[in-house]
Amino acid sequence: MCGIVGIVSSENVNQQIYDSLLLLQHRGQDSTGIATLEGDHFHTVKMKGQVREGYRTRDMRMLMGNVGLGHVRYATKGDAAREEEAQPFYVGAPYGIILVHNGNLTNTRELTAELYNVDRRHLNTHSDTELLLNVLANELQASITGLSLDADQVFEAVTRLHERVEGSYAAIALIAGYGLVAFRDPNGIRPLVLGHRLSESGQDEWVVASESLVLESGGYEIVRDVEPGEAILIAADGTMVSRQCTPNTQLVPCAFEYIYLARPDSVLSGISVYDARLRMGDVLAERIREELPGVNIDVVMPIPDSGRPAAMQLARNLGIEYREGFFKNRYVGRTFIMPGQSVRKRSVRQKLNAMHIEFKGKDVLLVDDSIVRGTTSREIVEMARNAGARSVIFASAAPPVLFPHVYGINMPSRDELIAHGRTPAEIATELGADHLIYQTVEGMNRAILAGQSEVTKLEESCFTGEYIAGNVDAEYLAWVEETQTS
């Protein structure tokens, strides 16, 4: 999971890109990068760390041009500690291309061999974004028939890219001297939203971004989501054309976007993230009634922030008092996306503090968006008990995470997933909770997809083990577990 944005404007885009990345910071905190296109010349700045602490005035002054893109990284492929693996990535031919990517490719071994043995292209990192960029560059080179580049050649290159690449990818690229191209994988797993506005002079201005909140904050009208398999080409003068580049498409967005990853004020594939989380609370209340009849609950408390909507709605449905028992330190990042288990564990108590007055002598129901490794949940249960809770019930608005997630979320190993190979009762013991309640897969789908016609299916492989893209089999999962760490 990463955050990406691309903008074509009538004026310099450096500040717009920076502001957009601040809004997308929740999607990645390992590193960040901005690239702008001034005529046929690229300007690029990228670095480790977060957006606000990274860029300086001198960086912004260098980033001239009315076309640009930006990235915030959450490492799932490659090495989070290597600054050279920060995005965007660049190749010098054809024309010069610079690219950012959100997602995970699942046929990286095959692509690496093809690019070296057939395409004769050199890779300098282990990042699958560099793979994606080189596939695009190679196919674009093969599509060129004259001295200049046209839309048909770009769309032909993306068509052939779809034929070669497997997995999840939402990508934005700049082509020197031409403009911006954005495309999405044929399953639409990772989000990408298109927005438009008119400048004061009446020129078309465009934005593509991971989440709709970027568009709304910038005063853009949400046009639509980029379709699965579609490519959009926007010239520097604001001229936009698009084309469907593969016949075999389906819209299967990642369930975890609605559970945890996206900000609640975003709308993805026509579904309000906030409304989906409220509905997950409704359905979770049904589970509490079924599974814990007669169990006393004095108060419902959320694990801030992503557990709050579900907790509010659950409390309302059950007629139980809702209280905020944990105070959150806003200056500590999201522990789930921090690289390394020891860092996550240390950061939990830096991020949250339990207020004793809310816990003392009470039977408390804690609601979180999900339970993945159990690190955060275990620490939170202990904090609630230390604050004086008489009993602690833990509820997850998501189903048990049982399988690795290979499409852009850092869950590579079954062994580190607390639900893998354990019953809910055993997990409750591991967490130190008196009771543990999970959402069901059916309930999750019912909550997220309520009233939707466009989206009828979610990418939910980490809950079900059913992988919709790429040849994800037992051998591949074993290779992922052996070669990747979180």
Side-chain angles (χ1 to χ4, degrees):
M1 178 193 73
C2 299
I4 61 176
V5 61
I7 295 177
V8 176
S9 179
S10 58
E11 57 186 15
N12 286 326
V13 295
N14 48 8
Q15 188 65 49
Q16 295 180 61
I17 297 289
Y18 177 89
D19 293 343
S20 299
L21 292 182
L22 286 177
L23 294 171
L24 295 172
Q25 187 72 84
H26 61 284
R27 299 186 67 87
Q29 300 168 4
D30 297 336
S31 62
T32 179
I34 296 176
T36 57
L37 178 58
E38 186 179 21
D40 59 358
H41 187 74
F42 289 126
H43 306 286
T44 306
V45 176
K46 58 182 185 176
M47 63 199 70
K48 291 176 63 178
Q50 298 185 28
V51 175
R52 193 178 295 279
E53 66 194 24
Y55 299 101
R56 299 291 182 263
T57 301
R58 63 179 179 270
D59 300 321
M60 303 306 289
R61 287 174 177 166
M62 186 187 75
L63 292 165
M64 293 293 100
N66 72 313
V67 182
L69 52 73
H71 185 270
V72 287
R73 183 183 187 225
Y74 154 62
T76 54
K77 291 279 190 179
D79 187 346
R82 295 182 63 191
E83 189 168 324
E84 59 267 34
E85 295 206 0
Q87 297 185 38
F89 279 84
Y90 167 79
V91 291
Y95 303 108
I97 307 173
I98 197 160
L99 180 141
V100 292
H101 159 228
N102 173 31
N104 245 33
L105 308 188
T106 57
N107 62 333
T108 54
R109 293 175 292 179
E110 296 84 351
L111 287 175
T112 300
E114 288 175 11
L115 286 168
Y116 181 79
N117 296 319
V118 180
D119 303 326
R120 305 303 184 192
R121 286 186 167 268
H122 172 258
L123 299 173
N124 200 47
T125 71
H126 298 292
S127 170
D128 59 344
T129 302
E130 189 181 18
L131 280 170
L132 186 66
L133 171 60
N134 275 273
V135 172
L136 176 64
N138 192 75
E139 298 308 329
L140 192 58
Q141 185 78 60
S143 300
I144 298 169
T145 55
L147 295 177
S148 61
L149 183 67
D150 61 33
D152 288 339
Q153 294 164 351
V154 173
F155 294 143
E156 182 181 347
V158 175
T159 297
R160 291 208 290 260
L161 178 146
H162 288 320
E163 294 170 355
R164 294 183 64 177
V165 174
E166 297 176 359
S168 68
Y169 49 96
I172 304 170
L174 306 181
I175 303 175
Y178 289 91
L180 178 149
V181 59
F183 54 92
R184 196 175 177 197
D185 73 76
N187 294 292
I189 296 173
R190 301 259 72 88
L192 198 60
V193 188
L194 174 68
H196 172 267
R197 71 183 183 188
L198 288 175
S199 69
E200 292 183 0
S201 63
Q203 180 176 326
D204 291 311
E205 297 184 323
W206 299 91
V207 59
V208 282
S210 295
E211 295 189 30
S212 65
L213 70 101
V214 171
L215 284 58
E216 294 169 333
S217 176
Y220 292 87
E221 177 186 353
I222 299 175
V223 176
R224 57 181 174 84
D225 292 85
V226 178
E227 296 293 332
E230 182 186 24
I232 291 174
L233 180 63
I234 308 172
D237 64 0
T239 303
M240 191 275 280
V241 290
S242 64
R243 183 178 300 173
Q244 179 54 254
C245 293
T246 181
N248 302 312
T249 65
Q250 58 177 341
L251 179 55
V252 192
C254 176
F256 241 90
E257 291 284 351
Y258 302 98
I259 294 167
Y260 173 81
L261 301 181
R263 263 185 39 167
D265 47 342
S266 282
V267 177
L268 305 178
S269 300
I271 301 172
S272 163
V273 175
Y274 185 72
D275 286 348
R277 290 177 184 171
L278 288 176
R279 291 192 295 266
M280 282 190 270
D282 289 330
V283 181
L284 190 57
E286 298 173 9
R287 291 280 295 159
I288 299 291
R289 288 194 184 95
E290 293 171 2
E291 297 294 320
L292 299 177
V295 173
N296 185 63
I297 302 172
D298 295 317
V299 64
V300 175
M301 295 183 185
I303 310 304
D305 285 318
S306 47
R308 184 172 287 116
M312 290 191 304
Q313 202 70 359
L314 183 150
R316 180 181 178 184
N317 274 269
L318 295 181
I320 299 173
E321 186 176 21
Y322 171 89
R323 303 289 287 183
E324 296 274 350
F326 291 99
F327 181 80
K328 183 175 181 180
N329 179 1
R330 302 291 173 184
Y331 303 99
V332 175
R334 305 178 89 181
T335 52
F336 174 82
I337 66 174
M338 291 179 178
Q341 189 76 325
S342 62
V343 176
R344 295 187 197 103
K345 183 174 182 178
R346 184 173 65 251
S347 296
V348 173
R349 290 179 183 262
Q350 295 175 338
K351 183 176 75 171
L352 293 176
N353 184 52
M355 295 183 283
H356 287 62
I357 192 171
E358 295 293 347
F359 287 91
K360 191 172 182 179
K362 296 179 182 177
D363 298 313
V364 179
L365 170 59
L366 301 179
V367 181
D368 206 352
D369 57 86
S370 59
I371 306 170
V372 181
R373 299 169 184 87
T375 308
T376 300
S377 305
R378 189 180 295 113
E379 293 290 319
I380 286 171
V381 171
E382 184 178 341
M383 289 168 65
R385 291 199 184 280
N386 291 341
R390 184 166 52 212
S391 66
V392 179
I393 303 165
F394 206 98
S396 168
V401 178
L402 300 170
F403 302 93
H405 195 293
V406 300
Y407 299 127
I409 303 177
N410 199 10
M411 305 176 191
S413 171
R414 282 164 286 195
D415 292 339
E416 66 180 358
L417 303 175
I418 193 170
H420 181 74
R422 293 185 177 95
T423 66
E426 290 170 336
I427 301 167
T429 300
E430 286 285 325
L431 299 181
D434 295 279
H435 302 281
L436 173 64
I437 298 295
Y438 276 108
Q439 185 78 271
T440 64
V441 173
E442 181 275 332
M444 176 192 70
N445 278 275
R446 182 155 46 97
I448 296 175
L449 301 179
Q452 291 298 311
S453 57
E454 183 184 15
V455 183
T456 59
K457 182 180 179 182
L458 296 170
E459 195 295 301
E460 52 191 24
S461 56
C462 61
F463 307 119
T464 65
E466 299 173 3
Y467 297 92
I468 64 170
N471 296 314
V472 179
D473 55 17
E475 185 277 330
Y476 176 79
L477 292 176
W479 174 76
V480 169
E481 292 180 348
E482 181 180 349
T483 60
Q484 297 179 38
T485 60
S486 64

